[in-house]
């Protein structure tokens, strides 16, 4: 099978997955308990039945769920219209876009750092297996992987703000609110240190563990012995023969993690009051803002599908066997 | 026997493995044999008798759990075991190269065949990239693979082709000694024959010395000049193929040959050696073959036999032969 056929097949399956997700995304919020209109009006019981009915009509909730509501929703989504947030009274897509940038900044930094550090540490541990380096790295990674996100966040927040004087939350200082982020970079960096550190430690453990077992498996392969028999040094063997093979599981892991980037920061953003998608998610859930949640779910699903598709493409360059299977 | 100095000479080589349960497996003990220039030596024995360990000890490619405890590996008179790791790397592939068993896993799945061959040439600084590319084509051509297939990956080759590519790779730096570790395992019979034929052709063409590890006694008879029979990490018998096959002296060799089908007596039933090879971390105190030997007597169970020189380069380690020698 050539690359084109392979990609076409992958695109097809991605689209099928997307279709299933869209249907589920619609259904999920229709079977949830609670009356959306009550959520909007809150505790104000004086709103008349007529007004409530008018609200239902405005949101299209008076019509049957299927096919009317479903088809309307589908048509809107297809045009990029994700509806209007009930709590913020703004288009969902606008809200999501505004928060996405902040989250990408935080998670992007955290991912890049944890990939570099985790892979390097895993490589070192797997190479120097059963030494003090290996045991130390393994212990650190297992702890890092097992720690609850919010707990680590709170500890770092307390320690960092007390002893290092780092800001406790937010993305910029109050005096800089409203200015474009790139104009206040030192301030932003200051704010990013603690949440980024939290994310880096958390993800690093996972990357390290996978890389360690992957490199150990690869180093036991016959072709590694062949490479050594050719007269290569340990370093040459590692770089030219082991690394590419050992990176394959990491690529999958990166794809999965990037997909969850959108939602992955819920705890960290909440602990550090960071104005991103994760925090928005939490707020939307508390306020039962269904259109916003629905939009966020859709964004999450699409990014997971997209990340996996990118990983599939990357695989064709990393592993020549993929196309054949 | 050739009168020249041996190209490779193993002197009393012993290798140990430390096992996970804390015991020590004496994988090789007191292994000695010579390989002369241009000669083909067969290394035979049951699985786990130390054939591959012998090759890996010579190349110094043993896993970290293994340790060479004593002995010498003289290559052109120089002890390879005394070299630094950096110096040893210069010997690998350039002087001694190896064709591993099961070429599927011996080739890197994410690297093209051509690149894997060229890499060795570049590594040893033998020529620049242009010449190295030409050399890769020549090598592939020599083993019967169209040079146009150099940019393909191992999974695009058949089993036989992979083994051919592996042979081409082993020849890349023009070594004078080639180890072939069960090069025909996992190939079908026709392909096995082709690979052996190729090895023989190349050996004659390049004047290589070859050490062929196999448990196929027929292959040894066909291809080899001398044969080293190993049992439980020791050399049981060593000598010219004709002599060893026609007049085997060690009871193990005798039984091994009887256990092998012979076209000259097709109706005869094959002999079976009862029992299993010894576990290397729980070796019998005397001769390692004694528990399975049909000729064993008391002394065999307490004392390990020394190698007896039977003349003409033929040696065997058996108490029965020592007695015969003493009677003379």
């Amino acid at each position: 099978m050539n690359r084109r056929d392979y990609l076409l097949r992958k695109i097809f399956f991605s689209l099928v997955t997307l279709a299933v997700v869209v249907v589920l995304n619609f259904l999920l919020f229709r079977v949830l308990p609670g009356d959306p209109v009550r959520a909007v009006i809150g505790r104000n019981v004086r709103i008349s039945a007529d007004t409530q009915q008018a609200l239902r009509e405005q949101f299209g909730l008076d019509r049957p769920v299927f096919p009317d509501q479903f088809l309307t929703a589908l048509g809107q989504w297809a045009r990029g219209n994700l509806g209007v947030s009930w709590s913020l009274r703004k288009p969902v897509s606008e809200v999501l876009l505004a928060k996405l940038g902040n989250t990408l900044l935080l998670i992007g930094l955290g991912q890049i750092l944890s990939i570099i550090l985790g892979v390097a540490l895993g490589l070192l541990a797997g190479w120097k297996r059963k030494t003090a380096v290996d045991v130390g790295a393994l212990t650190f990674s297992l702890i890092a992987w097992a720690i609850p996100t919010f707990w680590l966040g709170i500890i770092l927040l307390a320690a960092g703000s007390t002893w290092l004087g780092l800001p406790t939350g937010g993305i910029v200082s109050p005096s800089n609110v409203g200015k474009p982020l790139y104009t206040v970079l030192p301030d932003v960096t200051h704010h990013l240190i603690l949440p980024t550190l939290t994310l880096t430690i958390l993800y690093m453990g996972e990357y390290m563990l996978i890389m360690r077992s992957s490199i150990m498996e690869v180093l036991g392969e016959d072709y590694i012995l062949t490479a050594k028999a050719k007269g290569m040094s340990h370093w040459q063997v590692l770089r030219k023969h082991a690394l590419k093979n050992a990176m394959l599981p990491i690529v999958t892991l990166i794809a999965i993690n990037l997909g969850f980037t959108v939602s992955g920061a819920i705890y960290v953003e909440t602990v550090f009051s960071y104005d991103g998608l994760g925090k928005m998610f939490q707020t939307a859930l508390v306020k039962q803002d269904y259109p916003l949640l629905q939009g966020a779910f859709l964004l999450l699903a699409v990014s997971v599908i997209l990340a996996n598709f990118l990983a599939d493409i990357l695989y064709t360059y990393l592993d020549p066997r993929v196309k054949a299977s | 026997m050739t009168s020249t100095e041996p190209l490779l000479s193993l002197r009393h080589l012993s290798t140990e493995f430390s096992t996970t349960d804390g015991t020590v497996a004496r994988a090789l003990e007191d292994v000695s044999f010579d390989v002369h220039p241009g000669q083909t030596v067969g290394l035979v024995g049951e699985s786990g008798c130390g054939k591959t360990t012998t090759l890996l000890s010579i190349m110094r490619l043993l896993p970290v759990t293994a340790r060479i405890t004593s002995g010498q590996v003289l290559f052109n008179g120089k002890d390879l075991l005394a070299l630094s790791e950096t110096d040893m790397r210069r010997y690998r592939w350039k002087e001694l190269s190896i064709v591993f068993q099961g070429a599927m896993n011996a080739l890197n799945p994410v690297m093209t065949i051509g690149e894997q061959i060229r890499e060795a040439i570049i590594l040893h600084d033998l020529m620049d990239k242009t010449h190295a590319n030409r050399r890769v084509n020549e090598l592939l051509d020599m083993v019967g693979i169209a040079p146009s297939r150099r940019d393909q990956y191992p999974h695009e080759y058949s089993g036989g082709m992979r083994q051919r590519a592996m042979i081409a790779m082993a020849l890349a730096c023009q070594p004078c000694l080639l180890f072939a570790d069960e090069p025909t395992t996992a190939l079908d019979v026709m392909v096995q024959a082709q690979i052996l034929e190729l090895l023989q052709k190349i050996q004659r063409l390049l004047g290589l010395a070859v050490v062929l590890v196999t448990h196929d006694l027929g292959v040894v008879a066909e291809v080899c000049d001398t044969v080293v029979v190993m049992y439980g990490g020791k050399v049981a018998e060593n000598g010219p193929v004709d002599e060893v096959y026609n007049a085997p002296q060690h009871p193990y060799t005798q039984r091994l040959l009887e256990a092998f089908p012979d076209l000259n007596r097709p109706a005869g039933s094959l002999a079976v050696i009862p029992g299993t090879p010894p576990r290397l971390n729980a070796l019998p105190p005397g001769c390692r073959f004694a528990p399975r030997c049909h000729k064993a007597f008391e002394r065999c169970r307490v004392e390990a036999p020394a190698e007896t020189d039977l003349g003409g380069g033929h040696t065997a380690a058996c108490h029965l032969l020592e007695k015969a020698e003493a009677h003379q």
Side-chain angles (χ1 to χ4, degrees), chain B residues 146-167:
Chain B
S148 58
R149 297 191 67 168
R150 57 175 290 167
D151 290 330
Q152 289 186 326
Y153 291 92
H155 73 271
E156 294 169 279
Y157 276 33
S158 69
M161 277 180 77
R162 282 197 286 269
Q163 197 58 287
R164 283 166 188 275
M166 185 75 212
I167 292 171

Side-chain angles (χ1 to χ4, degrees), chain B residues 184-204:
Chain B
T184 57
T185 304
L187 299 176
D188 61 56
V189 183
M190 279 310 291
V191 180
Q192 280 188 19
Q194 288 168 10
I195 294 290
L196 283 173
E197 214 170 278
L198 175 69
L199 271 175
Q200 269 185 301
K201 182 190 106 182
I202 280 162
Q203 197 239 352
R204 263 183 246 122

Side-chain angles (χ1 to χ4, degrees), chain B residues 250-252 254-255 258 273-274 289-297:
Chain B
H250 196 285
Y252 177 61
Q254 291 164 3
R255 277 297 159 104
E258 283 166 26
I273 308 178
F289 186 57
R292 298 170 74 188
C293 183
H294 57 296
K295 290 177 179 170
F297 55 104

Side-chain angles (χ1 to χ4, degrees), chain B residues 67-88:
Chain B
R67 200 166 62 89
I68 297 171
T69 51
S70 62
Q72 285 180 311
V73 175
L74 300 174
F75 181 78
N76 278 329
K78 201 170 172 86
D79 187 7
L80 295 182
L81 302 185
L83 295 176
S84 71
E85 172 63 24
T86 320
D87 288 336
M88 184 63 210

